[in-house]
Amino acid sequence: MSRLPPDITRAVTHVKVQVTIDAPLEAVWNAILDFPAYPAWNPFVRSQAITDSNFRPLLAHPKPSEGAHIIMHVRIPPKGLDDNDKGLRSAKDVITFIDEKNRRVVWEAAGFPKWLFRAERWQEVTGVQVDGRTVTKYMTVEVFHGPAAWIIRWFMRKNLVISFEAMANGLKKYTEGGSASP
């Protein structure tokens, strides 16, 4: 089954970022799903782990799958790849969709009444032609719904755009074989 990006026209607000990466499609896809490697390249999501249903980290690092709970520690706006945990915020999500064939993954915010706040993060990698050769396009969209989403729109959207751009550029540098630090 395929799943298309969320409808941004029905959201209170959204963030959308894309970048072209000169690296194999599979390398980019694998980096997105390799949560333990995030600290090496992702200045926005400093750590991300699959957890039990109470959001307690697991000892092993299972492969991401639909229905898996995840916890992220994010820095908004990002400040590089240092190991300092100061200023990190936690986000709890559930993976709702993985399409290995079309290289799409979706997770939704957890822990909020859906009428109050709903956030859906969608990521996709595709092959595109640039100057006669195939490169990878990474695209991510997050949509925010509900009354609490107005807080995101009014106070956080600008820094979320900066954060998503930093993640996309970190992914680009990492998978192209360069340093991911800004």
Side-chain angles (χ1 to χ4, degrees):
M1 180 176 115
S2 182
R3 183 165 174 175
L4 299 175
D7 182 1
I8 61 175
T9 63
R10 306 184 110 202
V12 170
T13 193
H14 75 281
V15 176
K16 180 178 180 181
V17 170
Q18 63 185 29
V19 65
T20 302
I21 301 174
D22 192 6
L25 193 77
E26 286 305 314
V28 178
W29 176 245
N30 290 336
I32 292 168
L33 296 181
D34 184 6
F35 298 165
Y38 274 33
W41 64 266
N42 193 333
F44 168 41
V45 182
R46 296 304 301 135
S47 70
Q48 181 163 309
I50 295 177
T51 68
D52 66 17
S53 61
N54 292 313
F55 296 98
R56 291 185 299 252
L58 302 175
L59 295 177
H61 297 288
K63 182 178 176 182
S65 60
E66 289 181 23
H69 292 73
I70 54 177
I71 190 161
M72 294 178 248
H73 296 96
V74 299
R75 184 171 288 124
I76 305 170
K79 293 184 167 67
L81 296 175
D82 63 37
D83 290 329
N84 182 349
D85 289 343
K86 187 175 181 182
L88 292 180
R89 302 174 190 186
S90 294
K92 298 173 181 175
D93 293 82
V94 175
I95 298 173
T96 57
F97 183 77
I98 293 182
D99 180 349
E100 294 278 348
K101 180 181 175 199
N102 293 302
R103 295 170 191 86
R104 294 177 178 151
V105 62
V106 180
W107 48 74
E108 293 184 5
F112 300 95
K114 296 260 188 215
W115 64 267
L116 180 63
F117 181 75
R118 194 173 87 249
E120 179 182 64
R121 173 82 181 269
W122 177 90
Q123 298 180 82
E124 176 186 58
V125 293
T126 55
V128 294
Q129 292 292 312
V130 174
D131 298 326
R133 59 192 184 86
T134 302
V135 296
T136 301
K137 180 175 84 171
Y138 166 72
M139 183 167 49
T140 184
V141 179
E142 186 155 6
V143 293
F144 302 91
H145 300 273
W150 288 95
I151 294 167
I152 303 283
R153 182 175 176 159
W154 292 330
F155 301 108
M156 296 180 66
R157 186 176 186 286
K158 179 181 174 184
N159 282 333
L160 279 174
V161 170
I162 291 167
S163 300
F164 277 50
E165 288 172 346
M167 179 178 173
N169 289 325
L171 178 63
K172 176 181 175 70
K173 290 176 186 172
Y174 180 70
T175 55
E176 289 179 347
S179 170
S181 60

